Amino acid sequence: MSFSGYKNIIEEGDTVILYFNREVAFFVQVKTGDLFSCRFGSYKHEDMIGQLFGLKLTSHTGRGFVYLLHPTPELWTLVVPHRTQIIYTADIAFISTYLDLKPGVKVIESGTGSGSFSHSIARTIGQTGHLYTFEYHLERSELARAEFLLHGLQDSVTVQNRDVCKEGFGLDNEVDAVFLDLPAPWEAVESAKQAIKKNTMGRICTFSPCIEQVQRSCAALAENGFTGKLPIRANIYRN
């Protein structure tokens, strides 16, 4: 199954979002013989197979119920295993708009982290675009790669285990936009400039929690010839 498309019937191996209420949701990889249990009841995976996505499923004990939802990037953000701090939907929408993400766009993301934003980028750029996502932590990069494969995004996403601040991105004149969620994004600005397509309005965003990081990023962007504006919480600069 794919996060970029939809299907009606739940099958063995599918990712299903178990939605209990606005505060409580989980995901399962459907497998015959498995059982999901929580304070809202116990649910057999085989009871999900063959059911329609969107179904309200009663616990086999009859003491609770859950909605079986088709995965989307927005729902995945609610249930994704937190290997790092993640970016949530409100910021994802803001950044995607300013980076002008749309079908066919090629994007760099660093770091991959838990893959929350990665799933949204992949859905937005579609099969005609491509996401190059970089993660310096080996285990996190391998887990992210496995999730993209499981979710049917392997053709739209390339994962690399790489310290881009020291080694750069290894891309030249290739992408339309760059997103940097790094402790020291200014160290990757020069390589990001090299990766952005020449003679186009390439865009770069740095996402930082501290004003000192923002100031250093702004200085590096200016030194590398970027001009643009500074919305709250993120630098959005044009090349």
Side-chain angles (χ1 to χ4, degrees), residues 157-194:
V157 182
T158 298
V159 184
Q160 290 193 43
N161 171 226
R162 191 183 187 101
D163 185 346
V164 299
C165 292
K166 295 180 179 179
E167 304 171 36
F169 296 104
L171 296 172
D172 182 59
N173 194 28
E174 183 70 26
V175 302
D176 304 285
V178 177
F179 175 69
L180 303 178
D181 184 7
L182 301 168
W186 53 89
E187 295 180 355
V189 168
E190 185 176 354
S191 182
K193 180 182 179 181
Q194 182 179 357

Side-chain angles (χ1 to χ4, degrees), residues 34-54:
D34 281 3
L35 179 73
F36 177 84
S37 296
C38 67
R39 61 189 175 95
F40 296 101
S42 297
Y43 304 87
K44 296 179 180 178
H45 285 208
E46 55 255 42
D47 291 341
M48 304 177 193
I49 296 174
Q51 301 291 351
L52 287 169
F53 277 105

